[in-house]
Amino acid sequence: MKEQLTSNILRLVRRRRQEDARASISDKIAERITRIAGSMTFILLHVVFYGGLLLVLTDLIPIPVPFGEGLGLIGSVASTEAIFLSLFVLMNQRREEQRADARADFTLHVSLLTEDELTKLASVIHRMAERLDVPVDEGAAQEVEKNVDPEQVLDALEEVEGEGAPGHPGSGHDRDAATGKPSAIKASTAS
């Protein structure tokens, strides 16, 4: 088991490095700048730089400055820097969101494969129980042996997200329950 785990980790790391190598130059720059801007060193340098500049420009530290009244200039520089840092952070967040979507798709695929295998296993166990004359709840066995239809699950999730979660005022689930109308949550997702 340990060898399999190590092998899987190494394959995932290798895959991540390949994705990083295929990233565009702009994505690599944005990630690098975001990493630097998120460091404590960057924050401390800004505190020292802008704090010192403010002390000099407000004459609390009497040093002659070549550009005269520079409070407007410092505001413009800080605003421009903030705009560009925000853009780099947004670019990096977009890339991370794409990675998260790919991981979610992979997880969903593995979950569906697992569910399919477990359904087959449940069917085999049911047949074994019948051969050994072990009493089985047929209704429950038939329900377990059905595959989940992912489309029905997604439709039910969209309905809940669009109308509110169960138990919240005004949710479609509560309204449907009050009228006796079947809800996507209560409907079987088995096909």
Side-chain angles (χ1 to χ4, degrees):
M1 179 69 175
K2 186 176 181 180
E3 291 176 12
Q4 183 65 38
L5 180 63
T6 304
S7 172
N8 287 342
I9 291 171
L10 291 175
R11 288 170 41 198
L12 291 172
V13 168
R14 187 171 47 248
R15 175 71 181 248
R16 180 72 178 259
R17 287 182 180 154
Q18 289 170 350
E19 289 173 0
D20 288 343
R22 286 192 308 258
S24 68
I25 292 174
S26 62
D27 283 342
K28 289 178 182 179
I29 291 171
E31 185 176 350
R32 188 67 171 265
I33 290 174
T34 303
R35 190 178 314 124
I36 292 169
S39 69
M40 187 53 76
T41 303
F42 186 80
I43 293 169
L44 291 174
L45 286 175
H46 274 69
V47 168
V48 169
F49 176 75
Y50 285 109
L53 199 54
L54 284 172
L55 291 173
V56 169
L57 292 175
T58 56
D59 290 330
L60 292 174
I61 298 178
I63 297 176
V65 286
F67 44 85
E69 197 59 39
L71 287 176
L73 178 64
I74 193 174
S76 296
V77 169
S79 297
T80 304
E81 179 186 24
I83 290 169
F84 279 102
L85 282 176
S86 297
L87 291 173
F88 288 125
V89 167
L90 287 173
M91 288 173 65
N92 198 41
Q93 283 179 336
R94 177 188 49 82
R95 185 161 182 241
E96 289 300 318
E97 186 176 313
Q98 290 170 342
R99 283 181 174 169
D101 287 346
R103 283 192 299 268
D105 290 344
F106 174 75
T107 300
L108 175 62
H109 182 68
V110 169
S111 295
L112 290 172
L113 288 173
T114 302
E115 188 272 334
D116 187 56
E117 292 298 318
L118 289 175
T119 300
K120 290 175 185 173
L121 184 60
S123 180
V124 169
I125 291 171
H126 183 209
R127 286 196 308 269
M128 288 172 58
E130 286 176 342
R131 283 193 174 178
L132 296 173
D133 292 325
V134 175
V136 175
D137 179 356
E138 289 298 322
Q142 288 176 355
E143 185 67 26
V144 170
E145 291 174 15
K146 293 179 182 176
N147 275 325
V148 172
D149 181 6
E151 291 294 323
Q152 287 181 345
V153 173
L154 292 173
D155 291 344
L157 287 171
E158 286 176 4
E159 180 181 316
V160 170
E161 288 175 352
E163 298 181 13
H168 289 96
S171 76
H173 179 267
D174 293 338
R175 183 182 61 247
D176 293 343
T179 61
K181 179 180 166 189
S183 167
I185 297 173
K186 292 181 180 180
S188 173
T189 56
S191 56

